[in-house]
Amino acid sequence: MDFKKVFGEKIELINEQLIDSITDIENDRLREAMIHYPKAGGKRLRPIITMLVADSISRSGSAALPFGIALELVHNFTLVHDDVMDKDETRRGIQTVHSKYGVSEAILAGDALFAKAFELIGDMDLDGDRKSDLTSLLARSVILLAEGQQMDMDFETEESVSAEEYMKMIERKTAVLYSAAAQGGAISAGAPEPLQETMFEFGRVMGLGFQIWDDVLDLRADEKLLGKPVGSDIRNGKKTLIIILALEDLKDENRTRFLQLLGKSDATDSEVEEAVGILDSAGSIDRAQRIASELIAKAKVLLDDLPEGDSRQRLIELTDFMIKRDM
Amino acid sequence: MDFKKVFGEKIELINEQLIDSITDIENDRLREAMIHYPKAGGKRLRPIITMLVADSISRSGSAALPFGIALELVHNFTLVHDDVMDKDETRRGIQTVHSKYGVSEAILAGDALFAKAFELIGDMDLDGDRKSDLTSLLARSVILLAEGQQMDMDFETEESVSAEEYMKMIERKTAVLYSAAAQGGAISAGAPEPLQETMFEFGRVMGLGFQIWDDVLDLRADEKLLGKPVGSDIRNGKKTLIIILALEDLKDENRTRFLQLLGKSDATDSEVEEAVGILDSAGSIDRAQRIASELIAKAKVLLDDLPEGDSRQRLIELTDFMIKRDM
């Protein structure tokens, strides 16, 4: 799928409304800090999913779009705050909000992006009950995001993390906004509850597949496409599923050597290559790739519950794209 | 008015629901960081106002309470984030959240408190339209809070700030949650729009009076009651209304001396006393006190629009208390 060709028009519409949603902020510094990431672009996967689900159910993609924008605002708010927590100076080649505007401004801009998301829901052209359901969905999602982020921080100091705990963490930290995107599209479109729940589940397994594929890409992708150095998870000692699976299997000198390299922040490129080689020989990269593929296959089956048509077809392609994308 | 005696039962109920709202957070560290300020107590002015307004209109204080709790959560979230921005180590005698749990945890706990506030509104036993109105009110309030906080930070580097700009800043940073408290009570109670708007205005002028009285207290209160050193605004070089009014009037050596002392972080107690003396002689503390009294009087007139009864009477007493309290 040529992502830009298929979704170009939607992305343009989303970008317009996204930027537009921030223009009424009075304070110049606050507004500029808020708009810094949204105007840097992005694939806008979450709003696209919301629109496609709503279009598929009742051709109501445009009416559902503000909820998609709200999710994109929340996604951007978490990026701003996560970057402060991680003390990262750059994100995909641009300065992070706090390094450009200051830590206080970044905290505040994140808070305001978050509030703006709820304001957008309040302004939607839907009856009060649906808006209230969307508000609850978004609020619950952000609570889970915070739980996931805290779990991820806890992992840094924990001796060992199980595959199960890892899946629980990424379900909260990554998948939750995909579940919200799909379920929110269904709620906006007036879908019955069982279909809303199926859409939530679709987003959940798709989001899990997305994250695990992301971990694979960190080890196998091209550095230029990735926008960050290959193997950064190894240098950061991050406990991804691949590394957790490998540590369950690795023995003797392979294990000793791998543990020497894991978390070695100044590891050379050839040391990172060596670590990737050990993961490869343990078969854990292939296993993770297989798990991601299975999750994506499962997500596609759930799409059978949507009415047949172009929008569903686009959703199937988008779901496939999650494990075909190279960035 | 004996505040504790009059509102003791309400405060107990509020504390119970406030703490209860956080218990479902799974992650121990996140939950503890979230609950740190709420469990330290407080006067709970905002939820009390919400309940009294709703009780006065339709005896629906209990039904409106979750919105009051939501405001208290938002108030606590802003305290957590403000303390990170100000790098304060203590708040009213206890460790700040970030100094106890870490900066990342404090940012995250603030975010989660904020999300929780919206979840509480979604769970209220009201029709969807009212819940949607409450969501919009809360979202708009937090956007204004962020605008006010950014204005306040901008003031630090600005040469001069006008009284008008100061009023605009505290309207956003302080008064907004009082407006929301009163209007939210009216929305929950099903009041017609004009009464909702009157209640918003009541909260606004009351909140302004509250903040200006706070600035007066900083210079005239007893240190133990205040919970922080007297004159901290002088040592911090904070541009409060009192100081703005004085700078409009002060001339010659009085002005020169005052500007030497303003913002002198290591000023001795007698230097602070000297600065307060200059403000006194310029009459600006008295002027601020008069402005606060006029705002409170104006707020009380607006309460005439509520049905007569005990709840309205309590609101009148509470409004008076705003400029009688010594902490």
Side-chain angles (χ1 to χ4, degrees):
Chain A
M1 181 183 62
D2 183 339
F3 189 81
K4 274 210 176 140
K5 201 170 156 193
V6 176
F7 295 117
E9 269 180 46
K10 279 199 167 53
I11 292 175
E12 234 169 87
L13 185 68
I14 292 165
N15 285 342
E16 217 170 88
Q17 293 203 19
L18 184 62
I19 300 300
D20 203 48
S21 73
I22 299 167
T23 47
D24 72 342
I25 299 296
E26 276 184 47
N27 187 286
D28 293 339
R29 199 168 168 79
L30 179 63
R31 190 181 56 253
E32 282 162 26
M34 285 172 75
I35 220 163
H36 186 59
Y37 287 165
K39 81 174 179 202
K43 283 192 294 299
R44 314 303 185 201
L45 292 169
R46 297 162 196 80
I48 290 174
I49 292 169
T50 300
M51 287 183 85
L52 289 175
V53 169
D55 266 335
S56 168
I57 296 170
S58 62
R59 297 179 180 277
S60 57
S62 315
L65 177 54
F67 183 75
I69 304 291
L71 288 177
E72 199 66 18
L73 289 170
V74 164
H75 172 56
N76 278 276
F77 128 68
T78 61
L79 296 181
V80 175
H81 281 188
D82 285 2
D83 287 341
V84 173
M85 297 181 208
D86 296 342
K87 300 192 170 71
D88 284 335
E89 294 299 304
T90 60
R91 163 172 296 279
R92 293 191 165 270
I94 65 167
Q95 270 187 289
T96 50
V97 174
H98 67 94
S99 82
K100 191 172 163 87
Y101 296 95
V103 168
S104 296
E105 281 79 357
I107 295 176
L108 212 52
D111 295 344
L113 285 167
F114 184 17
K116 197 38 133 170
F118 284 102
E119 197 177 46
L120 289 191
I121 297 177
D123 290 344
M124 284 175 83
D125 192 16
L126 296 176
D127 66 61
D129 286 330
R130 283 192 210 174
K131 288 199 273 191
S132 179
D133 285 350
L134 291 172
T135 301
S136 297
L137 176 62
L138 189 65
R140 181 97 298 255
S141 302
V142 177
I143 293 170
L144 290 173
L145 274 172
E147 297 254 23
Q149 172 70 3
Q150 183 64 53
M151 279 183 86
D152 199 13
M153 297 193 306
D154 291 347
F155 285 179
E156 282 172 27
T157 54
E158 269 164 36
E159 266 291 296
S160 81
V161 174
S162 69
E164 202 185 331
E165 285 173 304
Y166 176 80
M167 295 301 279
K168 196 174 160 185
M169 185 275 284
I170 63 168
E171 185 177 311
R172 282 153 181 67
K173 193 173 163 172
T174 305
V176 75
L177 287 186
Y178 290 95
S179 328
Q183 190 183 354
I187 292 173
S188 304
E193 259 184 53
L195 182 53
Q196 291 181 22
E197 281 159 26
T198 306
M199 286 302 102
F200 179 91
E201 179 63 7
F202 157 73
R204 192 182 72 85
V205 288
M206 176 206 235
L208 292 174
F210 175 90
Q211 181 59 53
I212 293 168
W213 184 249
D214 222 48
D215 298 343
V216 172
L217 282 180
D218 182 75
L219 302 175
R220 287 203 171 149
D222 184 276
E223 182 159 331
K224 275 204 195 116
L225 288 172
L226 201 60
K228 59 177 183 178
V230 172
S232 64
D233 288 348
I234 290 179
R235 286 196 178 92
N236 294 331
K238 225 179 140 199
K239 295 176 183 97
T240 67
L241 183 64
I242 297 167
I243 289 162
I244 292 167
L245 292 176
L247 288 173
E248 283 174 1
D249 288 342
L250 284 173
K251 286 197 179 64
D252 307 327
E253 60 264 47
N254 260 349
R255 182 185 187 83
T256 313
R257 180 59 183 152
F258 184 74
L259 286 174
Q260 278 171 352
L261 296 169
L262 185 66
K264 188 170 186 237
S265 54
D266 61 349
T268 63
D269 286 353
S270 78
E271 282 176 322
V272 168
E273 245 176 77
E274 188 189 346
V276 174
I278 298 175
L279 292 172
D280 250 334
S281 70
S284 70
I285 306 183
D286 284 341
R287 264 178 80 193
Q289 204 162 340
R290 215 159 43 234
I291 293 171
S293 298
E294 284 164 10
L295 285 162
I296 292 302
K298 199 173 159 192
K300 285 197 290 181
V301 171
L302 291 164
L303 291 176
D304 287 347
D305 284 11
L306 287 176
E308 245 186 280
D310 275 0
S311 299
R312 186 177 80 172
Q313 192 49 40
R314 292 293 93 72
L315 265 177
I316 295 171
E317 288 163 23
L318 181 64
T319 309
D320 268 328
F321 170 76
M322 289 291 184
I323 51 166
K324 300 237 165 79
R325 72 200 162 88
D326 44 20
M327 56 172 281
Chain B
M1 179 184 64
D2 183 338
F3 189 82
K4 273 210 176 142
K5 201 168 155 195
V6 177
F7 296 117
E9 269 179 45
K10 280 200 166 50
I11 292 175
E12 234 171 87
L13 186 67
I14 291 165
N15 285 342
E16 217 170 89
Q17 292 202 19
L18 184 61
I19 301 300
D20 203 49
S21 74
I22 300 168
T23 47
D24 71 342
I25 300 296
E26 276 184 48
N27 187 285
D28 294 338
R29 198 167 169 80
L30 179 63
R31 188 180 58 252
E32 283 162 26
M34 286 172 75
I35 220 164
H36 186 58
Y37 287 166
K39 79 174 181 204
K43 283 194 292 302
R44 315 302 187 200
L45 292 169
R46 299 161 196 80
I48 289 174
I49 293 168
T50 300
M51 287 184 85
L52 289 175
V53 170
D55 266 334
S56 168
I57 295 171
S58 63
R59 299 179 181 277
S60 56
S62 315
L65 177 55
F67 183 75
I69 303 291
L71 289 176
E72 199 65 19
L73 290 170
V74 164
H75 172 56
N76 278 276
F77 128 68
T78 61
L79 295 181
V80 175
H81 281 188
D82 285 2
D83 287 341
V84 174
M85 296 181 209
D86 297 341
K87 298 192 172 69
D88 285 334
E89 293 298 304
T90 60
R91 164 172 295 278
R92 295 189 166 271
I94 64 167
Q95 268 189 290
T96 49
V97 174
H98 66 94
S99 82
K100 192 173 163 87
Y101 296 96
V103 168
S104 296
E105 280 79 356
I107 295 175
L108 210 53
D111 296 344
L113 285 167
F114 184 17
K116 196 39 129 168
F118 284 102
E119 197 178 44
L120 289 190
I121 297 177
D123 290 344
M124 283 174 83
D125 192 16
L126 296 175
D127 66 61
D129 286 330
R130 283 193 209 174
K131 288 199 274 191
S132 178
D133 286 349
L134 291 172
T135 301
S136 297
L137 176 62
L138 189 66
R140 180 97 299 252
S141 302
V142 177
I143 293 170
L144 290 172
L145 275 172
E147 297 254 22
Q149 171 71 3
Q150 183 65 51
M151 279 183 86
D152 200 13
M153 297 193 307
D154 291 347
F155 286 178
E156 283 172 27
T157 55
E158 268 164 38
E159 266 292 296
S160 81
V161 175
S162 69
E164 203 186 330
E165 286 173 305
Y166 177 80
M167 295 300 281
K168 195 174 159 184
M169 184 276 283
I170 63 168
E171 185 177 311
R172 282 154 180 68
K173 194 174 164 173
T174 306
V176 75
L177 287 186
Y178 291 95
S179 329
Q183 190 183 354
I187 293 173
S188 303
E193 260 184 51
L195 182 53
Q196 291 181 22
E197 280 160 26
T198 307
M199 287 302 101
F200 179 91
E201 180 62 8
F202 157 73
R204 192 183 72 86
V205 288
M206 176 206 235
L208 292 174
F210 174 91
Q211 180 59 53
I212 293 168
W213 185 248
D214 222 51
D215 298 342
V216 171
L217 283 179
D218 182 75
L219 302 175
R220 288 202 169 148
D222 184 277
E223 182 158 331
K224 273 200 198 121
L225 288 172
L226 201 61
K228 59 178 182 178
V230 171
S232 65
D233 288 348
I234 290 180
R235 287 195 178 94
N236 295 331
K238 224 178 141 198
K239 295 178 182 95
T240 68
L241 183 63
I242 298 167
I243 288 163
I244 291 166
L245 292 175
L247 288 173
E248 282 175 2
D249 288 342
L250 285 173
K251 286 199 178 60
D252 307 328
E253 58 265 47
N254 259 350
R255 182 186 185 81
T256 313
R257 180 59 181 153
F258 184 74
L259 286 173
Q260 277 170 354
L261 296 169
L262 185 66
K264 188 172 185 235
S265 55
D266 60 349
T268 62
D269 286 354
S270 77
E271 282 177 322
V272 168
E273 247 176 73
E274 188 189 346
V276 174
I278 298 175
L279 292 172
D280 249 334
S281 69
S284 70
I285 305 183
D286 283 342
R287 265 178 78 193
Q289 205 162 339
R290 217 158 43 235
I291 294 172
S293 297
E294 285 164 10
L295 286 162
I296 292 303
K298 200 174 158 191
K300 285 197 291 182
V301 171
L302 292 165
L303 291 177
D304 287 348
D305 285 9
L306 287 177
E308 246 185 281
D310 276 0
S311 299
R312 186 177 81 172
Q313 192 50 40
R314 292 293 93 73
L315 263 177
I316 295 172
E317 289 163 24
L318 181 64
T319 309
D320 269 328
F321 170 76
M322 289 292 182
I323 52 166
K324 300 232 165 78
R325 71 200 162 88
D326 45 19
M327 56 171 279

